[in-house]
Amino acid sequence: MSLRDRPRSEQLLIVCGVAGLLVGAAFAPIVWDRATEPEGTVAVVEMHGTITGETATAVTDNLREARQNDSIDAVVLDINSPGGTAAASEQLYLSVKRTQQEMPVVTSVTGMAASGGYYMTAPADHIYVTPASSVGSVGVRAVLPPDGAPPGEITTGPDKGSTATDAETRRRVETLRRAFVGSVVEERNGTLDLTASELSYAKLYSGARGVEVGLADSVGGIDAAVDDAAAQASLARHDVVRMESPQPSILGQLGLSAPDQAVAGSAVSTQPTFDYRGVDTVQYLMVHGSVADPQTEVNPNATR
Amino acid sequence: MQLGDLAQPLATFGLALLLVVGATAGTAIVAGELTDTSTQPDVESFQPDSLLPTPVADEGAVGAPDAATPKTVVVDVSHGNDVSRADMQPLVNSLVGAGHEVQFFSGGSSNFGPPAGAESPLSTELQEADALVIANPATAYSDDEVDSIEAFTTGGGKLLLLADTPTRASSSTPALPGLPTTGSTAAASGQPTNVAGRFGITFGSGYLYDMTDNANNFQYVYGDPAGSDELSAEADRTVFREAVPLVTRDAATTVVESSDARLSSTRENGTFAVAARSGNVVAVGDTWFLSPDAATLADNEQLVGDIASFLVTDQGGAGLAPASGGGAALSDGTVDPSPTPPANGTNTTA
């Protein structure tokens, strides 16, 4: 029985049914996309290499963008840094802390989070490490220039060259230590199994030991960190966007002074990236390892 | 075309322009609300009140020692000693200001000519001296020299031994050539170990630190008076940098100690002697406290002044009985040649 032989009401029903299918099929891709669309984005912000004013600014910008961008719901910090200058490390700490107040921040220590590198790690909601990665070295050092003004230089005051007396420099280092240690104790409140005095030894701990003493939370890779961040932001489906660490200088890219990136289990060798061109000044560093200057206030400690 | 014919298109153009600009402004206002609305975190640990350490009191002046007669204090620099006049300027000023003489003895290359026989230049120099200061020698003192020094103290001469951690001196000051020493460098070079050992005092190898109660840095430890020795009676709280702990035996007693400190080499916690005294001999495990930077910190000026007095005062102090019979006993050059048998003269470091 053909369609023409059917009653008129049935003909209309069939035509409407077919038309409905066609229209539905036309909308199907849109509905599919909507149904499978990610609910949000997890931004992976890198901090690889030494912390200088330049690298800290780039990472701070990335974190600010994460806060401003509506599509980003959580941040994962990918940290592999031996630290750097004290001032830049404090900037990063404040930036991470500010971001953590807005959205979940989870850290994955992919190599080393030492000294200033740990400073910016501390405010995270959760810190993932691997057995071979390392955390800690919570300490500050002041690298002192040689005494006295060099010949051929006239200054307007006795402290213009050295910036301060030795006693004042010691007090300043102590001030920075209190801020650093106090911040870590504050951020890791409840999980830290070290006293402020023990933390001040500035030991660098292996990842496994870091979990034990409470400087990290659990063992896991960066994917675990991303999943955790998404879960904390209540994202059933999520995209991942990576905000890469600033590239080293041109010389570094040419391999002339490139920082050695950490292979699993090996230490990162620090580079003298803190040169103040042509001027020798007191430098306050939050960096792990030995700086090529005998006059250091805080000695590094061996990895346990 | 009449002007009136353009009115409608122009009005339409204006309306469209307003629509676009208005929509942009509206969107910008809405979008503006999406900018960073986060607030600066309140970091408790960054509050200046809790951050800034209290400076260690740095006032007062090193007092001038009393002494009836002018004395001669010899500072030995003939053994590559890592010490200079600038390193102990407050002590030198105190002594010179009170009318005493301070000589830095560099080996007598020109004044005394070649050393005659077994007599070392230092032994010769001691005949003219009332007090001897030995700090951070790079080379060991020969047995003859140690014998001379012991005889010197037995005869009423004062001896001040100072040492820092051994690695500091050994790398910076090589042995001076032409010295009649055996040339053997002590295992713990940089410390007058064999001289101190003769008087029952041994210098340690590590340094003391205190992570909590310190002078604004863990390597700057506080010292408290120990016992009732007049040397430290007035110095309630002294400051030392990377102080070397002393071990004493026999007649040597602790004068200044650092309590609840730790030793760098062993991380051992305890009370360590920083200054010790054995009759006419005083040993201090630090040289920094004599420097211009440190001599007036806390009560250091009191300790430095007392050490200056010790060096030039005839009487060794309460309970000390060296058979001096007068501080100028050596001025005529009569040194008691009979060395006292070293009861515990071994200077092997434990």
Side-chain angles (χ1 to χ4, degrees):
Chain A
M1 195 162 112
S2 67
L3 188 62
R4 286 172 186 272
D5 300 333
R6 293 179 181 273
R8 194 166 182 79
S9 59
E10 261 186 54
Q11 287 178 8
L12 189 63
L13 199 65
I14 290 169
V15 168
C16 285
V18 171
L21 282 175
L22 290 173
V23 172
F27 278 103
I30 299 170
V31 175
W32 176 266
D33 281 351
R34 283 287 166 90
T36 58
E37 164 178 83
E39 295 173 2
T41 303
V42 175
V44 177
V45 178
E46 284 182 3
M47 179 60 241
H48 290 179
T50 46
I51 297 171
T52 63
E54 191 183 1
T55 55
T57 302
V59 174
T60 304
D61 287 347
N62 286 343
L63 289 169
R64 189 184 303 113
E65 188 185 334
R67 291 196 300 269
Q68 291 178 345
N69 192 331
D70 270 352
S71 67
I72 294 176
D73 300 284
V75 166
V76 167
L77 292 172
D78 174 356
I79 306 239
N80 181 13
S81 170
T85 62
S89 300
E90 285 174 342
Q91 288 291 338
L92 281 176
Y93 164 70
L94 289 173
S95 186
V96 172
K97 189 170 173 63
R98 188 167 185 159
T99 309
Q100 186 268 340
Q101 289 177 349
E102 294 288 305
M103 61 182 67
V105 174
V106 176
T107 297
S108 173
V109 181
T110 52
M112 170 185 276
S115 207
Y118 187 77
Y119 210 161
M120 67 179 294
T121 299
D125 295 303
H126 203 90
I127 299 173
Y128 284 90
V129 291
T130 57
S133 63
S134 42
V135 290
S137 192
V138 180
V140 191
R141 75 177 80 217
V143 181
L144 305 176
D147 288 339
E153 183 179 301
I154 296 170
T155 58
T156 52
D159 294 331
K160 183 64 181 165
S162 57
T163 70
T165 64
D166 281 358
E168 286 162 347
T169 304
R170 277 200 300 283
R171 287 206 292 277
R172 187 160 165 183
V173 168
E174 171 66 8
T175 302
L176 296 182
R177 182 198 69 82
R178 290 183 183 188
F180 192 176
V181 171
S183 298
V184 171
V185 169
E186 190 180 317
E187 298 298 342
R188 302 295 299 169
N189 185 27
T191 47
L192 191 64
D193 199 23
L194 297 171
T195 63
S197 173
E198 289 170 329
L199 196 59
S200 297
Y201 271 76
K203 290 182 197 296
L204 187 67
Y205 299 95
S206 69
R209 179 98 177 109
V211 173
E212 195 175 85
V213 300
L215 285 173
D217 293 300
S218 42
V219 174
I222 192 160
D223 288 333
V226 171
D227 291 347
D228 190 353
Q232 288 193 36
S234 304
L235 303 177
R237 295 174 302 280
H238 60 268
D239 267 348
V240 176
V241 58
R242 181 168 276 268
M243 297 174 164
E244 290 190 352
S245 192
Q247 295 299 309
S249 64
I250 295 173
L251 284 180
Q253 288 178 0
L254 291 173
L256 296 177
S257 61
D260 296 338
Q261 294 299 323
V263 198
S266 72
V268 176
S269 70
T270 60
Q271 297 297 310
T273 51
F274 313 108
D275 284 345
Y276 194 128
R277 214 167 167 73
V279 179
D280 219 354
T281 182
V282 181
Q283 298 183 46
Y284 296 90
L285 304 179
M286 290 175 181
V287 66
H288 167 71
S290 293
V291 176
D293 189 312
Q295 299 189 63
T296 49
E297 292 284 341
V298 180
N299 289 325
N301 292 280
T303 307
R304 188 176 271 194
Chain B
M1 183 183 278
Q2 297 296 318
L3 194 61
D5 298 338
L6 289 175
Q8 197 173 1
L10 281 176
T12 308
F13 172 76
L15 199 64
L17 190 70
L18 274 178
L19 192 68
V20 171
V21 172
T24 307
T27 309
I29 289 168
V30 173
E33 290 172 0
L34 298 177
T35 54
D36 194 357
T37 54
S38 62
T39 53
Q40 179 61 33
D42 182 25
V43 184
E44 261 183 49
S45 55
F46 279 15
Q47 301 307 314
D49 291 347
S50 59
L51 276 185
L52 298 175
T54 310
V56 181
D58 188 7
E59 51 196 23
V62 178
D66 309 324
T69 53
K71 301 292 172 60
T72 301
V73 177
V74 171
V75 180
D76 183 33
V77 290
S78 67
H79 289 73
N81 304 64
D82 184 23
V83 69
S84 68
R85 185 181 290 269
D87 294 333
M88 51 173 63
Q89 197 66 52
L91 178 67
V92 174
N93 287 354
S94 166
L95 291 169
V96 172
H100 306 288
E101 188 179 351
V102 178
Q103 297 176 356
F104 281 74
F105 176 67
S106 58
S109 56
S110 60
N111 291 340
F112 300 91
E119 185 91 332
S120 73
L122 182 63
S123 305
T124 312
E125 180 72 10
L126 285 181
Q127 293 174 11
E128 307 292 329
D130 299 299
L132 173 66
V133 178
I134 296 176
N136 293 338
T139 56
Y141 286 74
S142 69
D143 287 346
D144 287 345
E145 286 172 326
V146 178
D147 289 343
S148 301
I149 292 168
E150 187 175 17
F152 171 70
T153 59
T154 307
K158 301 295 177 62
L159 174 63
L160 174 62
L161 299 169
L162 306 165
D164 292 316
T165 40
T167 50
R168 295 164 62 89
S170 59
S171 60
S172 58
T173 48
L176 294 178
L179 282 176
T181 56
T182 57
S184 65
T185 303
S189 66
Q191 297 178 333
T193 46
N194 55 349
V195 182
R198 188 66 70 91
F199 301 101
I201 299 169
T202 307
F203 291 99
S205 56
Y207 65 85
L208 299 179
Y209 67 88
D210 192 330
M211 297 300 288
T212 48
D213 184 23
N214 55 46
N216 295 334
N217 185 268
F218 74 109
Q219 290 176 319
Y220 293 72
V221 296
Y222 286 119
D224 308 312
S228 56
D229 196 288
E230 63 181 13
L231 199 64
S232 60
E234 302 289 324
D236 290 332
R237 176 162 257 205
T238 42
V239 184
F240 300 94
R241 180 181 72 182
E242 295 185 50
V244 174
L246 307 178
V247 178
T248 58
R249 65 170 190 270
D250 302 337
T253 55
T254 301
V255 175
V256 178
E257 64 187 14
S258 185
S259 56
D260 201 20
R262 283 180 187 273
L263 181 59
S264 65
S265 51
T266 62
R267 305 287 166 100
E268 175 196 355
N269 189 18
T271 298
F272 297 89
V274 178
R277 178 169 188 171
S278 173
N280 280 353
V281 181
V282 167
V284 185
D286 185 32
T287 58
W288 173 79
F289 81 103
L290 290 174
S291 70
D293 280 348
T296 51
L297 280 182
D299 293 333
N300 278 12
E301 70 273 8
Q302 197 69 44
L303 181 63
V304 177
D306 288 344
I307 285 177
S309 296
F310 157 78
L311 290 173
V312 296
T313 306
D314 292 340
Q315 301 303 321
L320 299 168
S324 58
L330 291 180
S331 60
D332 59 358
T334 55
V335 175
D336 181 6
S338 61
T340 53
N344 291 298
T346 54
N347 57 0
T348 53
T349 51

